Amino acid sequence: MSWNRFILRVALASLAGLAACQSPPSNFQGSNFSDETRALEKQLNAEATALGAAQGAASIAASADPTGLSSFAKAPVALAARNAQARSADARMAAQLARDEQALYRHYGMNPDGTPSGRKPAGGN
């Protein structure tokens, strides 16, 4: 095994270990948000971390190219992947938050526009 491959494997193992350790606190605490929202947030954070680790590994591999051309080829692909992942995450979280909002309206006996629905709120509130 060549020295470059050894260093690449060590770097990838380090990135994987670092990615597994990072777990930010939830931004969706409280009764206004469902467990599904918190689970989706955790999943999206894991996906973003995995994409970042993959991009880091690709950057390490590209840095071994003496011509530097692979870095030019990698940059637009990495940006496109990040943008696609961000759009997907935003759409998925927006849909989940809309479901939470509808559940909150139903819980308090309201229509989506904020007017009373005529139903009694859950829990007798």
Side-chain angles (χ1 to χ4, degrees):
M1 176 171 34
S2 72
W3 182 248
N4 286 342
R5 283 187 158 203
F6 174 74
I7 294 207
L8 181 60
R9 286 184 183 185
V10 169
L12 288 176
S14 298
L15 285 173
L18 181 62
C21 293
Q22 296 176 349
S23 178
S26 177
N27 292 317
F28 299 101
Q29 296 297 324
S31 61
N32 294 357
F33 303 105
S34 66
D35 290 337
E36 290 84 15
T37 301
R38 287 183 280 280
L40 178 60
E41 178 190 30
K42 186 176 271 192
Q43 178 185 351
L44 294 176
N45 284 340
E47 289 174 7
T49 301
L51 178 63
Q55 288 179 339
S59 294
I60 290 170
S63 70
D65 179 15
T67 64
L69 294 177
S70 58
S71 293
F72 289 119
K74 181 195 70 66
V77 172
L79 181 62
R82 186 196 69 82
N83 289 343
Q85 193 273 337
R87 281 191 301 273
S88 171
D90 286 346
R92 290 163 56 195
M93 186 54 78
Q96 179 59 44
L97 290 174
R99 288 190 291 272
D100 281 355
E101 184 178 33
Q102 292 307 311
L104 192 65
Y105 284 139
R106 283 191 302 276
H107 178 80
Y108 288 105
M110 298 173 67
N111 291 322
D113 64 357
T115 60
S117 66
R119 295 184 305 242
K120 289 191 174 189
N125 294 357

